[in-house]
Amino acid sequence: MEAPHNSPAAETVSEPAGATDLDVVGAVPEAVTVTLTVTSPEQMQDLGRRLARVLAPGDLVMLTGELGAGKTTLTRGLGEGLGVRGAVTSPTFVIARVHPSLVQGPALVHVDAYRLGGGLDEMEDLDLDVSLPESVVVVEWGDGKVEELADDRLRVLIDRATGDTDDERREVTLVGIGARWAGLREELA
């Protein structure tokens, strides 16, 4: 079902029982899937601000998408929505950036795991397991690397047209894994 939303992005809500949406992410028990269409970087940043309203200390958010899909733009919106200090930019060369809260909320820990080949063992030096209880941890390229950090986590898959195109349209699929995300649809409304 496609319907207008508070933002200009169109939203489609999918039930996890169907194989079509879960084929993308694998069959996951207790998964809630929400699919949105975003047509500009501004809408992607707005989605981040909306998503920040539902995030809490201890949340793990894993971002997946091609280069240039909008992972950092979404995280910039998360940072604005969480009211954190500092410009949210890609942490590609520093691996991780910590943005403390300016509004007594959780800090934003923004990680780029692209250059890290191994799983959680290679990421141990980042102490994400220590940061997670008090922070919102966002990991770009985290699939297969950080799942062990939290049973409940939010996967954000950003799909864009590839090749020689200037199309700004993105399909963003939010997959809330675990009981923490049972009300994801309602919380984003």
Side-chain angles (χ1 to χ4, degrees):
M1 159 179 100
E2 189 131 335
H5 197 274
N6 292 341
S7 76
E11 180 175 332
T12 304
V13 178
S14 305
E15 293 297 327
T20 55
D21 287 328
L22 290 179
D23 285 345
V24 176
V25 295
V28 179
E30 295 186 52
V32 174
T33 302
V34 178
T35 301
L36 306 157
T37 300
V38 175
T39 59
S40 70
E42 294 79 21
Q43 285 184 5
M44 184 67 78
Q45 200 161 335
D46 182 59
L47 175 59
R49 286 188 292 271
R50 286 177 47 210
L51 188 55
R53 294 190 320 239
V54 305
L55 294 176
D59 284 343
L60 173 63
V61 180
M62 298 166 42
L63 304 179
T64 301
E66 298 291 324
L67 287 171
K71 296 178 297 296
T72 300
T73 301
L74 179 75
T75 307
R76 190 171 298 118
L78 288 173
E80 288 176 10
L82 291 170
V84 299
R85 184 179 68 206
V88 175
T89 59
S90 178
T92 300
F93 298 105
V94 295
I95 309 297
R97 293 185 196 276
V98 177
H99 298 275
S101 176
L102 295 172
V103 296
Q104 309 309 315
L108 172 65
V109 179
H110 185 197
V111 180
D112 186 329
Y114 182 76
R115 294 185 300 139
L116 303 176
L120 197 54
D121 291 341
E122 192 170 331
M123 298 186 74
E124 263 183 24
D125 289 340
L126 299 177
D127 288 331
L128 294 179
D129 54 337
V130 173
S131 300
L132 188 58
E134 309 86 43
S135 306
V136 170
V137 176
V138 176
V139 183
E140 297 185 25
W141 308 96
D143 285 347
K145 298 175 184 172
V146 296
E147 288 87 348
E148 296 171 25
L149 283 173
D151 291 334
D152 292 359
R153 58 195 174 275
L154 182 63
R155 290 189 64 209
V156 180
L157 298 101
I158 305 172
D159 187 33
R160 70 174 180 93
T162 56
D164 189 17
T165 180
D166 59 358
D167 186 3
E168 297 290 339
R169 179 183 171 95
R170 308 289 194 261
E171 294 298 322
V172 181
T173 304
L174 307 170
V175 182
I177 300 166
R180 156 72 177 97
W181 300 102
L184 181 62
R185 285 185 198 98
E186 295 77 20
E187 291 174 353
L188 280 177

